Amino acid sequence: MKMIFMGPPGAGKGTLAAKVGEMFKILPISTGAIFRSAMSSGSALGLKIKAIVESGGLVDDQTTVQLVKERLAQADVQKGYILDGFPRTIPQAEELAKFSAVERVLNIRISDADVMERLGGRQVCRTCGYNFHVIFDKVAKEGVCDHCGGEVYTRNDDKPDAILKRLDVYREQTAPLIGYYREKGVLYEMQAMVKFDDTMESFKKSMGL
Ligand code: AMP
């Protein structure tokens, strides 16, 4: 199945995509993760986008679409994928439609207050990408991932100013995609849940699975 997971930053798209990917044996593809890995490798792409990503802005559509187009041309995603964090603008969605036929789009709803609480305390593993939280899901040993032993850090774009900017950007540029996909008849919606088990239940119910 070819799917898109949408929602404000902090809605839980990445965590849900990892689990659903396992369930359906399809790969989650996160443009944010691709950009972060380019930034930490110091590649030309990484250097070009670092300031934008860290401030909470969006990378330009042309760069982003090209990257996704190349990724979706690879053999391991021909049967399906979950796009996490792409498209984020109407032009990106229009370009995507030219090279891949998306079957379902899931929109995860969450309030701004919950986004601030979740992202303000988020810590991420640099190696496996697992999301911890300083209150709700603490690491056993400071700075070390419980699952793979990788380094756990706070993303620069999870600082309060950047979170507020990401919410503004979401409202202005990404939220219009909800109507865009509703009109195409492929939109499914669910509420973000506190507990992961509830999230999975809500996901299955919303998608009729
Ligand atoms: P995420 O991990 O999805 O929160 O993405 C982190 C950051 O990467 C975003 O705040 C943007 O700066 C950049 N980014 C990720 N996906 C996109 C996209 N589809 N278009 C433009 N920028 C993106």
Side-chain angles (χ1 to χ4, degrees), residues 7-10 13-14 30-36 39 49-61 63-65 68 84-89 92 119 122 155 157-158 162 166 169 174:
K13 303 182 290 290
S30 155
T31 39
I34 297 174
F35 287 144
R36 279 188 291 283
M39 280 157 46
I49 62 172
K50 191 171 188 317
I52 300 169
V53 172
E54 291 191 342
S55 71
L58 289 187
V59 177
D60 66 278
D61 287 341
T63 304
T64 310
V65 167
V68 173
D84 156 19
F86 180 92
R88 259 177 157 98
T89 65
Q92 288 182 8
L119 294 189
R122 178 161 77 172
R155 284 167 46 172
D157 62 348
D158 279 346
R166 287 159 71 200
V169 167
T174 309

Side-chain angles (χ1 to χ4, degrees), residues 83-189:
L83 291 176
D84 156 19
F86 180 92
R88 259 177 157 98
T89 65
I90 297 275
Q92 288 182 8
E94 287 170 346
E95 286 304 310
L96 173 64
K98 294 180 190 164
F99 57 81
S100 197
V102 170
E103 290 154 87
R104 290 182 183 215
V105 177
L106 176 72
N107 179 42
I108 310 176
R109 289 187 300 247
I110 183 170
S111 72
D112 286 5
D114 285 348
V115 168
M116 293 305 289
E117 184 178 64
R118 283 188 181 197
L119 294 189
R122 178 161 77 172
Q123 294 183 317
V124 186
C125 174
R126 228 181 256 289
T127 308
C128 71
Y130 187 88
N131 285 354
F132 294 91
H133 191 279
V134 290
I135 298 167
F136 309 120
D137 189 4
K138 282 190 197 168
V139 283
K141 188 173 168 218
E142 196 57 44
V144 182
C145 177
D146 295 5
H147 306 287
C148 75
E151 183 199 351
V152 171
Y153 76 113
T154 298
R155 284 167 46 172
N156 276 335
D157 62 348
D158 279 346
K159 300 199 169 134
D161 282 357
I163 300 174
L164 287 173
K165 171 145 183 207
R166 287 159 71 200
L167 279 170
D168 278 349
V169 167
Y170 170 79
R171 259 187 293 274
E172 280 167 26
Q173 303 204 51
T174 309
L177 287 170
I178 299 171
Y180 173 90
Y181 283 119
R182 185 177 288 123
E183 267 179 29
K184 297 203 177 301
V186 291
L187 187 76
Y188 297 76
E189 295 203 81

Side-chain angles (χ1 to χ4, degrees), residues 12-30:
K13 303 182 290 290
T15 310
L16 184 62
K19 195 73 196 168
V20 172
E22 269 173 30
M23 258 170 69
F24 286 93
K25 307 262 174 294
I26 51 178
L27 283 181
I29 296 174
S30 155

